[in-house]
């Protein structure tokens, strides 16, 4: 006690005090050193995992080989240019996310997205207009689609990640061809075009608008309209040859509200007006093309490959030129156009090129659209030219099947024989289409080429790090581990350097063709680190000893709890072996948690080592935990594959906002009750929980109330006192304030070490203190420290609350409700761990991991790309601004895991008195953290292995690949979060702080 | 935590307070992982009426087969309901078998039990216990909005499989039953007794019965709650058989 009053005449004591002080100083230094040792070890471990994940990702996420060649008009046979272009100019209007059923008449439908865009279907009934279903290739993200629509190739999923950067296109495409032929391209709208085709667009006629701000429905569209119509005036008509307009409103309404929102009707009506007006102003030589780049699913999102996301619209119109329409049964609009004639999106590429008299882009795989040409003869010529180009491409691309090339020769033979025969045109077109189909199918299959070597290396590195971390976490006694950190660090650095040198020399001498120098170095370094980790272990313990440790665990330490934990981890890892279980992972996780809950109920009920009151408390905690787990599992956002067995409940409704308001009152009360159980609702706690938490939760609720009011049909039709811009700025202000307080201010003040204890001075002696102070003066003052039994826990939990509130803000209302329940679940669990005495069992961190998954799903996420809630990125800023937009999205996506990770030290810290051996406490926290990482690595590695195993599976891009991406991201993000926030910031602060004050 | 003091710590202002102040809740050092198992040692004797011969509910296999035969996959609720009579009757007869098997040893107590009343009472209680069981099944994740009828019928079936034999075996003696939970080696006790093993494995079987549901095979038997029912029934038979091995 530093604040002790000095009493005179006690020299001996003073000396003792000095001794004690210097001893405690020494101990604190030792603690700090141990702590740093742990952090460095974990950083190295994380590095190895990152390298493993990196290698796997590189091998698994496909990249396509792009030929840099550019087609040209030639004079010989292989010329792919039409001699007489059918059109001189073209207007291409892209309406983002224009699903096919938006433009066809749907009888009896009251949906906002039906029957509000009639002009297209009306015009298509005439001879000079044609409407087709337009099938996109996955991934259905705008950048990929634009690449496909201009190059005629199949952009792979690896490009999907660069949607937020956009990068200039270097493949042959028809915009490039236009530019090369001295045509002028005017552009307005989505700035993705600007990023891709900046070189080809006429600088004076280039009007890009920010595309990713999904909360803004009008800026892009009004911008397009503003610049589009002046260019259609007679005097400006000569200034351009191709006019591209890209509208984003429909897409943004979808992202923001989903299709079933009245704004969708306004937007579609607006598009209807635009098209009507453009058609009026069109001249004779211009072709009007209106397309959607992809569709949207029922939530309004896209990116995957469901039917709704793939089906969009292609509409072509010319003032007085006929299209070659097929018989009416091809254009059947019944059942939302289920049997309507459809063409591939890449088919637009040869069509546009041929119609405008350009050479077909070199990498094109598509086939011209039949309707676009004036006669069958022209179409047959067009297909001949397209085949020439495809053949040329195939000859220049390695590893393509010769059998298909043979088909080309057959076609050419036929064509030279019957090319002028009117009756044979249809046959020839059919043959050409057959060739193009088989070529496209082959390319689709081939560009799913996986780099198996990289995949293998990645899996091996991850597997080795898993074996090590398993040994580190569970096999070696944690106390011994604490003294080994620096041995680890020394040998790891030495072996890493050795590995680097070795791999450098290997790559210089042997020059392996499959691995670049960087990759060699990464492999060398990571293997070196792993060997460096094993060396000290092998030095101290033999394999035999470790093996006996394992057996000992199963003989002595194996109880129902550890059995349950192992069952959970094993089954969670095995679910990746089947697509059905990956799809239903949310239900499985909840099932595990509820099973655990019932186990707790049973084991508290039958436990006779605890007192009656503890039993009652334990039972109530266990029942609370079970019921909450069940309640949480009712909040879900169904993924497409779960239908029709799943009804989504996740959405912003009036009652979810109301619950949010109620929670802002109840959650602080519940936490207060939990704190009072350990008598620690003192000093910092009332401030944090009673005032801060309550206020911030209320602000969150207010934010989402505004959001709800802004979106609802009812409120937007009535005139509010609060105008819409005012609400908008209020929302921005609230979001910024809350995030600033929780992430910056509260964490800063927490780092100063708030304690939830109270000193109670009493003059008279209470009866149970009699024995201790028998020898001292009777009149002596005694002090009681209230909350002493939970010093660490009560203080540390405040940090958890800081982050929780921030995460709740960026989570949609029902998700925030589920996070409210998460906090109660965690608190009940902590109490249960104490009562059942299982906090040292391996199941404790595993249950935390499962909780993280459960709330990942119940906050409206799934392991799919479309379920990423991009719109929360714009809560704090109006435009995309690093790092705020990204911070919001990360907090939203991984928030539940962050809360859980942050709570892991509490397994050890909850309800313990200040320890005289802080290093022991620290080492147990490390054990729990590493066990948690082990669990994540187990499931992660399993999902990686099965994703690689099922790489030819039908569902790989739909189910296994997104799940692998989630696992890989989790390994990355959780390692970083655990080391920096949980260990460095949280645990480091609380342990040293408490030890400084209470340490003996 | 400092037990008994409600998380408080008293500090006296006298300087040389003894350093060895006991902190009962403090984490023990080092190899504590190995001490966990020692804490559970207690000398509680099991109190289970023993059987003269093992009772294995093989008839349950026939019942399941019969239910499938009479159209379980087409009309779940009705078949479950009609199957209920079969299971009640067979459980009552196997209950009397249990009584017969456990009687011979305790000849003195023979007179005091009213067999028909015991069997009838057990039926009533098992029926009643299906309500909490229903809640448990719902908590475990059974659908809330739909299939409630099927879920309830499932819990009646399970209640008869799990509770009925126990009620008959222990003759409503809850104390004696609860007493067995304090036994050290509970699992060996369970698996040494055919009735206990059968009840226990019914629970486990139902738990495992969840596994086939998510598979996308689109088979009629994947409908709720057929897999759980089959899991429970099979579990009861397997439990009986396992007890033979031990």
């Amino acid at each position: 006690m530093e604040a002790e009053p000095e009493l005179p005449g006690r020299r001996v004591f003073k000396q003792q005090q000095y001794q004690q002080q210097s001893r405690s100083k020494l101990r604190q230094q030792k603690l700090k050193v141990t702590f740093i040792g742990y952090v460095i070890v974990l950083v190295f471990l994380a590095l190895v995992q990152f390298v493993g994940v990196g290698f796997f990702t590189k091998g698994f996420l496909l990249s396509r080989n792009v030929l840099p060649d550019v087609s040209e008009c030639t004079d010989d046979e292989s010329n792919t240019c039409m001699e007489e272009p059918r059109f001189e100019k073209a207007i291409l209007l892209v309406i983002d996310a224009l699903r096919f059923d938006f433009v066809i008449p749907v009888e009896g439908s009251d949906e906002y997205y039906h029957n509000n865009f009639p002009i297209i279907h009306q015009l298509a009934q005439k001879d000079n207009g044609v409407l087709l279903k337009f099938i996109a290739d996955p991934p259905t993200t705008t950048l990929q689609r634009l690449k496909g629509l201009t190059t005629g190739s199949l952009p792979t999923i690896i490009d999907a990640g660069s949607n937020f950067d956009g990068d200039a296109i270097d493949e042959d495409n028809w915009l490039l061809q236009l530019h090369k032929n001295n045509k002028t391209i005017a552009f307005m709208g989505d700035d993705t075009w600007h990023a891709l085709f900046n070189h080809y667009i006429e600088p004076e006629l280039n009007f890009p608008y920010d595309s990713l701000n999904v909360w803004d429905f009008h800026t892009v569209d009004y911008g397009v309209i503003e610049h589009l119509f002046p260019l259609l005036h007679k005097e400006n008509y000569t200034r351009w040859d191709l006019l591209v307009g890209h509208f984003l409103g429909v897409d943004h309404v979808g992202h923001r509200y989903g299709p079933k929102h009245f704004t969708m009707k306004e937007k579609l009506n607006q598009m209807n007006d635009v098209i009507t007006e453009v058609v009026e102003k069109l001249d004779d030589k211009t072709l009007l093309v209106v397309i959607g780049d992809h569709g949207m699913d029922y939530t309004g999102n896209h990116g995957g490959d469901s039917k709704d996301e793939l089906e969009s619209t292609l509409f072509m119109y010319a003032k007085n030129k006929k299209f070659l329409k097929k018989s009416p049964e091809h254009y059947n609009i019944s059942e939302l156009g289920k049997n309507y004639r459809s063409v591939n999106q890449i088919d637009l590429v040869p069509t546009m090129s041929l119609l405008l008299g350009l050479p077909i882009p070199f990498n094109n795989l598509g086939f011209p659209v039949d309707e676009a040409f004036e006669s069958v003869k022209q179409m047959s010529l067009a297909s001949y030219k397209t085949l020439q180009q495809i053949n040329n491409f195939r000859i220049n691309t390695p590893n393509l099947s010769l059998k298909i090339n043979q088909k080309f020769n057959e076609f050419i033979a036929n064509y030279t024989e019957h090319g002028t025969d009117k009756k044979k045109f249809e046959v020839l077109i059919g043959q050409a289409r057959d060739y193009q189909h088989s070529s496209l199918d082959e390319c689709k299959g081939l560009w799913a080429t996986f780099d198996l070597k990289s995949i293998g290396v990645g899996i091996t590195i991850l597997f080795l790090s898993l074996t090590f971390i398993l040994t580190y976490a569970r096999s070696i006694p944690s106390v011994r581990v604490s003294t080994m950190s620096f041995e680890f660090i020394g040998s790891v650095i030495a072996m890493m350097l050795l590995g680097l040198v070795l791999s450098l020399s290997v790559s210089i001498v042997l020059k392996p063709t499959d691995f670049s120098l960087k990759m060699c170095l990464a492999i060398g370094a990571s293997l070196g680190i792993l060997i460096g980790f094993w060396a000290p272990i092998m030095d101290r313990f033999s394999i035999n000893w470790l093996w006996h440790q394992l057996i000992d665990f199963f003989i002595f330490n194996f109880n129902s709890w550890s059995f349950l934990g192992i069952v959970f981890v094993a089954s969670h890892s095995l679910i990746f072996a089947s697509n059905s279980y990956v799809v239903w992972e949310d239900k499985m996780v909840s099932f595990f948690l509820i099973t655990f809950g019932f186990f707790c109920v049973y084991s508290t009920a039958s436990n006779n080592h605890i007192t009656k009151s503890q039993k009652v408390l334990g039972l109530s905690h266990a029942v609370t935990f079970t019921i909450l787990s069940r309640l949480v599992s009712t909040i879900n956002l169904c993924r497409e594959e779960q239908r029709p067995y799943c009804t989504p409940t996740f959405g912003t409704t009036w009652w979810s906002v109301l619950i949010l308001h109620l929670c802002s009152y109840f959650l602080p009360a519940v936490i207060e009750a939990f704190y009072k159980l350990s008598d620690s609702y003192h000093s910092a706690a009332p401030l944090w929980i009673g005032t801060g938490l309550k206020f911030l939760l209320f602000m969150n609720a207010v934010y989402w109330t505004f959001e709800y009011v802004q979106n609802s049909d009812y409120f937007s039709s009535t005139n509010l006192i609060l105008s819409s811009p005012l609400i908008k700025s209020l929302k921005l202000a609230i979001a910024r304030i809350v995030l600033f307080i929780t992430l910056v201010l509260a964490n800063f003040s927490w780092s100063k070490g708030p304690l939830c204890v109270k000193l109670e001075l009493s003059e008279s002696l209470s009866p149970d203190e009699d024995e201790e102070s028998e020898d001292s003066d009777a009149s002596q003052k005694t002090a009681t420290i209230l909350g002493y039994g939970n010093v660490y826990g009560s203080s540390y939990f405040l940090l958890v609350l800081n982050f929780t509130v921030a995460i709740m803000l960026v989570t949609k209302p029902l998700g925030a409700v589920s996070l409210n329940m998460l906090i109660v679940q965690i608190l009940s669990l902590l109490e249960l761990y104490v009562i059942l005495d299982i906090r040292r069992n391996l199941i404790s961190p595993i249950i935390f991991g499962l909780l993280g998954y459960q709330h990942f799903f119940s906050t409206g996420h799934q392991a799919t790309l479309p379920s990423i809630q991009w719109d929360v990125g714009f809560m704090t800023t109006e435009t995309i601004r690093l790092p705020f937009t990204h911070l919001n999205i990360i907090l939203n996506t991984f928030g539940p895991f962050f809360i859980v990770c942050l709570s892991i030290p509490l397994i050890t810290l909850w309800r313990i008195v200040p320890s005289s051996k802080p290093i022991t406490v620290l080492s147990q926290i490390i054990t729990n953290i590493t066990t948690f990482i082990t669990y994540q690595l187990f499931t992660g590695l399993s999902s990686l292995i099965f994703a690689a195993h099922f790489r030819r599976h039908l569902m790989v891009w739909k189910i296994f690949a997104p799940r692998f991406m989630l696992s890989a991201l989790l390994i990355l993000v959780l390692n970083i979060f655990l080391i920096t926030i949980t260990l460095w910031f949280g645990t480091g602060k609380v342990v040293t702080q408490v030890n400084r004050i209470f340490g003996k | 935590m400092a037990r008994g003091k409600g998380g408080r710590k008293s500090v006296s202002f006298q300087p040389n307070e003894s350093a060895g102040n006991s902190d009962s809740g403090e984490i023990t050092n080092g190899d504590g992982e190995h001490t966990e198992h020692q804490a559970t040692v207690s000398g509680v004797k099991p109190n289970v009426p023993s059987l003269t011969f093992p009772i294995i509910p093989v008839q349950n296999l026939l019942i399941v087969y019969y239910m499938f035969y009479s159209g379980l996959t087409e009309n779940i609720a009705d078949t479950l309901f009609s199957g209920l009579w079969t299971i009640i009757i067979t459980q009552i007869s196997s209950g009397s078998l249990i009584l017969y098997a456990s009687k011979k040893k305790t000849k003195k107590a023979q007179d005091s039990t009213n067999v028909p009343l015991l069997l009838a009472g057990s039926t009533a209680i098992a029926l009643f216990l299906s309500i909490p069981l229903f809640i448990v099944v719902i908590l475990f994740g059974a659908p809330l909005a739909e299939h409630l009828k099927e879920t309830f019928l499932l819990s009646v079936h399970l209640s008869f499989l799990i509770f009925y034999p126990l009620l008959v075996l222990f003759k409503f003696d809850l104390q004696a039953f609860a007493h067995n939970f304090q036994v050290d080696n509970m699992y060996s006790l369970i698996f040494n007794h055919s009735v206990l093993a059968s009840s226990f494995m019914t629970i486990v079987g139902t738990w495992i019965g969840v596994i086939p549901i998510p598979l996308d095979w689109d088979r009629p038997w994947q409908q709720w709650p057929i897999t759980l029912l089959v899991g429970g029934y099979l579990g009861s038979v397997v439990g009986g058989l396992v007890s033979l091995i031990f």
Side-chain angles (χ1 to χ4, degrees), chain A residues 4-5 7 10 13 474 477 479-480 549 552 556-557 559-560 578-581 584 588 591-592 594-595 598-599 602 606 608-609 614 627 630 634 645 679 760-761 769 772 775-776 780-789 840-841 908 911-917 920 924 1000, chain B residues 1-3 5-17 19 21 23-37 39-42 44 135-144 146 178 181-182 186-187 206-208 210-218:
Chain A
E4 268 172 322
L7 298 170
R10 293 202 173 180
F13 162 65
R474 304 304 313 184
V479 168
R480 277 186 221 175
Q549 275 276 313
D552 278 2
F556 296 115
N557 214 13
N559 52 22
S560 315
S578 160
N579 52 348
S580 316
Y581 293 112
W584 291 99
M588 301 293 284
F591 186 62
F592 291 154
I594 294 163
T595 305
F598 273 102
F599 227 80
Y602 158 74
S606 67
N608 58 348
H609 302 297
Q614 269 185 318
I627 291 176
R630 178 70 180 98
T634 57
Y645 303 107
D679 209 355
E760 203 169 62
L761 288 169
E769 250 106 277
E772 287 175 30
D775 51 340
S776 62
Q780 195 207 324
K781 279 185 186 175
T782 59
T784 313
I785 305 177
L786 301 174
Y788 187 73
R840 296 160 64 76
N841 196 293
T908 311
R911 280 192 183 236
I912 56 168
V913 297
S915 168
S916 58
K917 300 182 190 90
T920 317
Q924 271 167 30
K1000 281 167 219 135
Chain B
M1 63 159 207
R3 288 208 177 106
K5 285 186 195 171
R8 295 165 185 224
K9 163 155 173 128
S10 298
V11 187
S12 94
F13 278 80
Q14 185 153 19
N16 56 348
E17 199 192 349
N21 196 3
D23 294 330
S24 56
E26 188 179 323
I27 291 183
T28 48
N29 201 344
D31 299 307
E33 285 187 20
H34 295 283
T35 55
E36 255 179 46
H37 67 284
T40 54
V41 174
S42 59
V44 184
I135 295 169
V136 167
V137 174
I138 289 280
L139 274 179
F140 256 110
L144 268 173
E146 50 201 342
F181 286 109
Q182 319 289 345
M186 211 180 71
Y187 293 107
T206 317
W207 192 86
I208 293 175
V210 172
I211 292 174
I213 297 178
L215 287 169
D216 56 357
W217 297 345
D218 288 330

Side-chain angles (χ1 to χ4, degrees), chain A residues 563-712:
Chain A
F563 174 71
L564 208 60
I566 292 170
V567 167
F568 287 163
V569 175
S571 356
H572 198 178
S573 303
L574 280 178
I575 67 163
F576 304 111
S578 160
N579 52 348
S580 316
Y581 293 112
V582 179
V583 167
W584 291 99
E585 189 179 358
D586 51 346
K587 298 279 176 241
M588 301 293 284
V589 167
S590 295
F591 186 62
F592 291 154
L593 281 173
I594 294 163
T595 305
F596 175 79
F598 273 102
F599 227 80
C600 287
V601 172
Y602 158 74
S603 122
T604 9
S606 67
N607 195 332
N608 58 348
H609 302 297
I610 53 177
T611 60
K612 190 109 189 167
S613 62
Q614 269 185 318
K615 193 174 254 185
V616 173
L617 264 178
L619 269 178
S620 70
H621 290 314
V623 171
T624 312
F625 178 80
T626 316
I627 291 176
L628 283 181
S629 300
R630 178 70 180 98
L631 276 180
V632 169
S633 77
T634 57
I635 306 173
N636 60 347
L637 181 89
C638 304
R639 57 190 287 168
E640 191 208 335
E641 295 86 352
Q642 289 181 330
R643 300 180 156 246
Y645 303 107
C646 172
T647 34
T649 51
F650 193 81
T652 310
T653 50
W654 64 268
W655 50 269
S656 62
V657 175
L658 185 71
I659 295 177
L660 211 56
H661 276 281
L662 292 178
C663 280
S664 75
Y665 175 77
F666 279 113
L667 185 70
V670 170
I671 298 174
E672 184 185 329
F674 270 100
Y675 265 57
K676 283 189 171 156
L677 280 180
S678 56
D679 209 355
S680 33
Y681 196 67
H682 303 294
S683 72
L687 175 71
W688 230 274
I689 298 160
T691 315
L693 182 68
K694 205 176 265 181
F695 170 72
L696 290 171
L697 285 180
F698 177 68
M699 291 312 264
N700 282 0
V702 168
Y703 178 92
W704 286 104
T705 315
F706 281 150
E707 168 79 22
Y708 174 73
V709 166
Q710 217 178 6
N711 289 358
S712 74

Side-chain angles (χ1 to χ4, degrees), chain A residues 111-113 253 257-264 296 298-299 713:
Chain A
E111 299 287 1
Y112 290 119
Y113 52 89
V253 172
Y257 301 129
K260 296 182 181 179
H261 193 266
F262 64 92
T263 328
M264 187 56 95
M296 60 171 73
Y298 69 98
T299 63
D713 291 11

